[in-house]
Amino acid sequence: MHKNNTIKGLCFFALFVFAGFGANAQLTHLEQSVYLNFNAATAQFNDDVAANIAGDLLPMTRFNAGKNAGLGVGLGYRVSYRFDVGFGEVSPYIHADFQWNRVKGDMRDQYMNANDGNAPNYFNIPIYAGVNYRYQLTEIFTPFAEFGIGPDFFMITKETGSTVACPNFKLRYQTTCNVAWQIGLGSFFGQHVSAGLHYSGYGKHAVKYTSATEVPTALVAEDAADTKTQTRSVGLFSLRIGFHF
């Protein structure tokens, strides 16, 4: 309950700030930005997958789904406004990302060998309210630092395939929202392009089966022996290229 109230509070704060952008559009320097992200998984998101009770890596099941994430890409959009504080500029912002990661290549190969199965894909959609500080050193270089916080929506697509122990498996997952944060350092190059390194911590997300999922017979005992809700710590290091207008 406390976590849900925190997320709701962050959402209301983000809406309040966003409304302020529109109300002051004629009085402040509005800036819109589009980002291209290249990311690498951290925390449990990057962990290797362990064999299940049938001795296979497939299916991943709720015990391994949300792990083994490979390199990914993403898009971002931001609206902010800048004001001069005398020793640089401060820019409060609202920012949304869409991050996509596949499981690593060796795991994808195993799904292909499992009767042309489908490996799960991972999506993170964080929405941040934050602030950016920048200081212009030259006409070309303007270093910046920033911080943001808000909810992250983590999703895992279904996995399908067929193995000797688990023929024709089809597992679907439901996950939870959690509080995310991000920090970044980088530089603007001129007025319209930037590049930065960012770390995003997406918190721990619960991983459960949907009501429509049937656990393969060979794995029923394993699933029944551990009824605890599985959680995944999810994080990303990102190279973020920004275009500002």
Side-chain angles (χ1 to χ4, degrees):
M1 180 66 71
H2 176 71
K3 184 183 292 184
N4 289 337
N5 289 337
T6 300
I7 293 172
K8 289 178 181 178
L10 290 169
C11 290
F12 281 124
F13 172 72
L15 289 173
F16 175 79
V17 175
F18 185 77
F21 289 163
N24 292 284
Q26 302 303 318
L27 304 176
T28 60
H29 186 103
L30 280 171
E31 181 177 79
Q32 297 185 74
S33 306
V34 176
Y35 294 90
L36 181 61
N37 302 316
F38 303 93
N39 62 62
T42 66
Q44 289 178 303
F45 201 35
N46 188 45
D47 282 355
D48 291 333
V49 171
N52 56 42
I53 198 170
D56 296 326
L57 297 178
L58 305 184
M60 292 177 74
T61 76
R62 64 185 180 90
F63 297 102
N64 286 316
K67 298 180 180 180
N68 201 248
L71 298 177
V73 296
L75 295 174
Y77 173 76
R78 175 179 299 186
V79 59
S80 61
Y81 71 92
R82 298 184 302 172
F83 57 92
D84 196 325
V85 293
F87 48 91
E89 293 181 329
V90 172
S91 304
Y93 64 78
I94 298 295
H95 181 111
D97 272 332
F98 180 85
Q99 305 277 29
W100 170 49
N101 293 79
R102 299 193 295 175
V103 297
K104 295 172 185 175
D106 55 349
M107 178 65 75
R108 296 199 303 273
D109 290 342
Q110 294 194 49
Y111 279 94
M112 288 297 296
N113 294 331
N115 197 28
D116 290 330
N118 292 310
N121 287 269
Y122 304 135
F123 298 101
N124 283 282
I125 306 175
I127 302 173
Y128 302 113
V131 63
N132 172 288
Y133 171 77
R134 66 187 77 174
Y135 186 85
Q136 185 173 14
L137 292 179
T138 69
E139 292 185 359
I140 300 298
F141 297 105
T142 304
F144 71 82
E146 64 182 43
F147 173 79
I149 189 168
D152 173 61
F153 302 91
F154 178 50
M155 289 172 280
I156 304 174
T157 63
K158 69 179 179 182
E159 59 170 322
T160 64
S162 185
T163 65
V164 173
C166 301
N168 301 316
F169 63 82
K170 183 182 295 184
L171 303 181
R172 296 180 174 87
Y173 301 97
Q174 60 182 19
T175 54
T176 54
C177 175
N178 210 331
V179 177
W181 57 273
Q182 72 97 18
I183 56 174
L185 295 171
S187 180
F188 287 81
F189 300 95
Q191 296 184 355
H192 302 293
V193 178
S194 69
L197 294 176
H198 296 256
Y199 180 77
S200 301
Y202 295 142
K204 283 190 174 183
H205 295 268
V207 178
K208 305 176 183 179
Y209 295 129
T210 66
S211 59
T213 295
E214 294 185 7
V215 179
T217 302
L219 305 179
V220 168
E222 179 184 33
D223 192 67
D226 188 349
T227 59
K228 294 184 297 184
T229 299
Q230 292 289 304
T231 60
R232 298 290 175 270
S233 296
V234 181
L236 292 176
F237 275 113
S238 299
L239 170 63
R240 181 179 290 170
I241 308 298
F243 304 93
H244 313 276
F245 49 95

